[in-house]
Each structure stands twice: as C-alpha cells, then as structure tokens.
C-alpha cells in the first residue's frame, strides 16, 4: 500500500477513538511510508461518493465508522482494484468482529499495516450492495426505529428498547420467496439473507455462510405473531433448521421476495426500502484488507 484515504464518520464513536485513529494514521505515515488522506462525511451518501472518487487514485480506502459507514464505502469500491479496510468507531462493528480484528482503533490500524488483501463476495439488494447481510421484516422494522442519537447514547441497548413495541405489533405476513426459482411460501416474521456468519456481532444465525462460496445463505422464520418468536429463536440458537416448524435454512444465488403487504428491509444495519425486492450474490467483487491472522472461508 502506498496511497490511502481514510473516510471518517465524525458522528460515530467518541473523542478517544478519534484520537486513536489520528495516532494510527501517524504511524502509517512514519512506519509504513503510506501517503494518507483523511476525509470526513457530512451526510448520508458522502462515504460512497468519496470512495468512488478516491478509488481512482488510491490503493486502499479505509472506512472509519460503524457498519453503515463501511457499507457506504464498499458500495463505492465494488468492482474496482482498490481494497477496503476498516477501523471500528461504531456501535455494533459486526464486520470488524467477523474478521477477528481489534475493536481498539489504534490496534486495528496496526493490524491493517501488517495485513493482506483478499477477494470476497458481496450481496446485492436491487442496486444496493451489502457486505454482511440483508434483513426483511422484524429486524428491519427495529432498525427503522433506532436513530443515530439513540445508538450514540445507549449503544446496543437502543435496539433492545426499540424492539419491544415492534414485537408487540408483530404479525406474520403472507410471503412468497423464490430461491433460484424454487418457491418457499409462508407467513414471514423475519427473513435473513446473509453473506457472513455473525448477526449483530454475536449470533451465528447463518452458521454455514462463507464469503467466497458464490452463494447467499437464507434463514426464514415463519409464524403468525410474536408468540411464535421464542420457539423460532430457540431453534436458531440450537440450529434446529428443518426440524422446527417455520424455521428453514437454504442457499441460493438469487432470491426474490414478494409479500401481501410491504415489509421493511435493511442491509448492514441501514434501512433501504420495502418488499418486493430481488437479492443476488456478486462473486469475488470486492477486495478487502484483512489482519494477517484472519482467514476467510
């Protein structure tokens, strides 16, 4: 690496984390001889615009923020020869956890300095790319309720608090899913389309997912209301797919979802719209900079 741009979300994290990033950049310049430029976002979409601009003249673009910032940056890098790196400054930091990268921004910067580049698959929801996963129904409804200020003030607790009224109103929605042309029907509570294993940085819902297999993993929870959720969640924890009614695990290259009424959709933690929507895998579409000790399936 010689030419690097760091795209920082100044609204994410705290002053201590931003000082750690500044120190990491200083070490890159002095120890690695990297030419490092820093750009700060001001509004949604800036990170994608900046990444597209900087990809033309940089070897590496580093997203400094949460998973939403990383998603925006990678949307500007898909299909280019420029690699994506990440420094954790967010709430969940699921991508960083997926890589077993340090949650300390300075330590993470040092890991990247000694890292290696690999090609990985990405998912695509209509025109929006995602690195981790897409959620339809329950989790997207919760995501839509959580504001940036809530996450900054409460961290992950914000999702727990906002989930309670969403669960109270939860009802199954008649849904038709096409998995490479194979139909799956039922009353959907939650559908997860995953490119990676960790959900929320904690749960291995899509436990067979691999980011270089040319497939997306699809986990479906079908039921009538929130009363079915405990049974289904327990089934996920104990990997009871196919054994518990309403719980299925499939893999596909293209997934089409249509519902009797629009269900919300989120990708990598950002709300992007509602059903109907088509999802597909884009194999080997993104170069990522990984810590030296990280291996991707």
């Amino acid at each position: 690496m010689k030419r690097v741009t760091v795209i920082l979300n100044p609204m994410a994290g705290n002053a201590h984390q931003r000082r750690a990033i500044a120190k990491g950049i200083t070490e890159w310049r002095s120890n690695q001889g990297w030419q490092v430029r820093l750009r700060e976002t001001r509004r949604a979409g800036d990170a994608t615009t900046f990444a597209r601009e900087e990809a033309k003249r940089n070897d590496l673009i580093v997203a400094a923020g949460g998973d939403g910032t990383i998603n925006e940056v990678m949307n500007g890098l898909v299909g280019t020869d420029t690699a994506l790196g990440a420094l954790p400054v967010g709430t969940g930091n699921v991508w960083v956890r997926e890589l077993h990268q340090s949650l300390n921004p300075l330590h993470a910067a040092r890991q990247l300095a000694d890292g290696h580049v690999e090609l990985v698959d990405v998912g695509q929801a209509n025109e929006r790319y995602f690195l981790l996963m897409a959620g339809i129904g329950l989790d997207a409804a919760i995501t839509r309720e959580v504001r940036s200020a809530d996450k900054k003030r409460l961290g992950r607790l914000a999702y727990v608090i906002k989930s309670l009224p969403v669960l109270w109103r939860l009802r199954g929605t008649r849904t038709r899913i096409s998995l490479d042309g194979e139909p799956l029907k039922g009353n959907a509570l939650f559908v997860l389309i995953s490119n990676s294993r960790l959900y929320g940085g904690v749960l291995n819902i899509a436990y067979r997912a691999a980011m270089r297999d040319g497939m997306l993993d699809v986990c479906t929870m079908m039921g009538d209301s929130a009363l079915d959720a405990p049974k289904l969640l327990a089934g996920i924890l104990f990997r009871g797919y196919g054994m518990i009614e309403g719980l299925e695990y499939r893999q596909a290259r293209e997934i089409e979802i249509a519902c009797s009424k629009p269900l919300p959709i989120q990708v990598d933690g950002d709300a992007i719209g509602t059903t109907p929507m088509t999802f597909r895998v884009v194999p080997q579409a993104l170069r990522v900079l990984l810590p030296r000790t990280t291996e991707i399936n």
Side-chain angles (χ1 to χ4, degrees), residues 14-272:
N14 54 48
H16 174 74
Q17 291 173 315
R18 289 189 285 275
R19 285 194 295 270
I21 289 173
K23 187 173 182 180
I25 289 174
T26 298
E27 289 189 5
W28 286 346
R29 287 169 174 157
S30 60
N31 299 342
Q32 307 299 320
W34 291 358
Q35 302 170 26
V36 185
R37 181 186 186 194
L38 176 66
R39 298 189 69 175
E40 294 189 3
T41 62
R42 294 188 177 183
R43 60 186 66 85
D46 276 356
T48 299
T49 300
F50 293 169
R52 286 184 181 134
E53 293 171 353
E54 299 297 334
K56 301 171 186 176
R57 50 183 175 267
N58 284 270
D59 306 300
L60 172 69
I61 307 295
V62 177
D67 292 306
T69 302
I70 293 170
N71 177 273
E72 282 200 19
V73 171
M74 63 85 70
N75 267 271
L77 297 181
V78 169
T80 74
D81 293 327
T82 302
L84 167 73
L87 295 177
V89 198
T91 303
N93 298 304
V94 178
W95 172 244
V96 168
R97 294 173 191 271
E98 185 81 32
L99 301 183
H100 304 291
Q101 191 174 346
S102 174
L103 295 176
N104 180 305
L106 178 56
H107 295 164
R110 290 169 177 167
Q111 289 175 314
L112 291 182
D114 191 35
H116 64 286
V117 175
E118 298 282 355
L119 278 167
V120 299
D121 303 339
V122 300
Q124 187 175 6
N126 283 357
E127 302 305 315
R128 177 77 172 263
Y129 296 108
F130 59 93
L131 188 55
L132 298 166
M133 46 72 191
I136 300 95
L138 173 61
D139 79 328
I142 296 169
T143 297
R144 190 168 57 181
E145 295 296 319
V146 177
R147 302 291 181 258
S148 296
D150 298 327
K151 291 190 286 185
K152 196 172 184 66
R153 187 176 71 256
L154 300 171
R156 292 186 179 187
L157 182 60
Y159 290 93
V160 177
I161 294 171
K162 294 294 185 179
S163 70
L164 298 178
V166 174
L167 282 168
W168 178 259
R169 299 189 303 265
L170 183 65
R171 298 292 183 274
T173 300
R174 192 164 69 253
T175 301
R176 185 184 188 280
I177 305 173
S178 173
L179 302 152
D180 290 336
E182 181 181 345
L184 176 64
K185 298 179 182 180
N187 291 330
L189 297 173
F190 172 45
V191 179
L192 177 70
I193 300 174
S194 195
N195 187 47
S196 61
R197 292 187 180 182
L198 281 184
Y199 176 83
V202 179
L203 298 176
N204 277 309
I205 295 180
Y207 65 94
R208 294 201 299 263
M211 286 184 281
R212 296 199 292 189
D213 64 352
M215 304 290 284
L216 293 172
D217 288 47
V218 184
C219 306
T220 56
M221 289 173 51
M222 301 290 189
D224 295 324
S225 70
L227 295 177
D228 294 312
K231 173 190 70 175
L232 296 170
L233 290 172
I236 287 173
L237 292 175
F238 293 101
R239 299 182 182 177
Y241 296 103
M243 294 179 284
I244 293 178
E245 184 180 0
L247 198 60
E248 296 286 343
Y249 192 124
R250 307 284 182 89
Q251 289 183 311
R253 294 179 177 84
E254 183 169 290
I255 303 102
E256 298 176 10
I257 298 183
C259 308
S260 59
K261 65 177 183 179
L263 287 181
I265 299 171
Q266 63 87 12
V267 295
D268 293 351
D270 283 346
I272 65 163

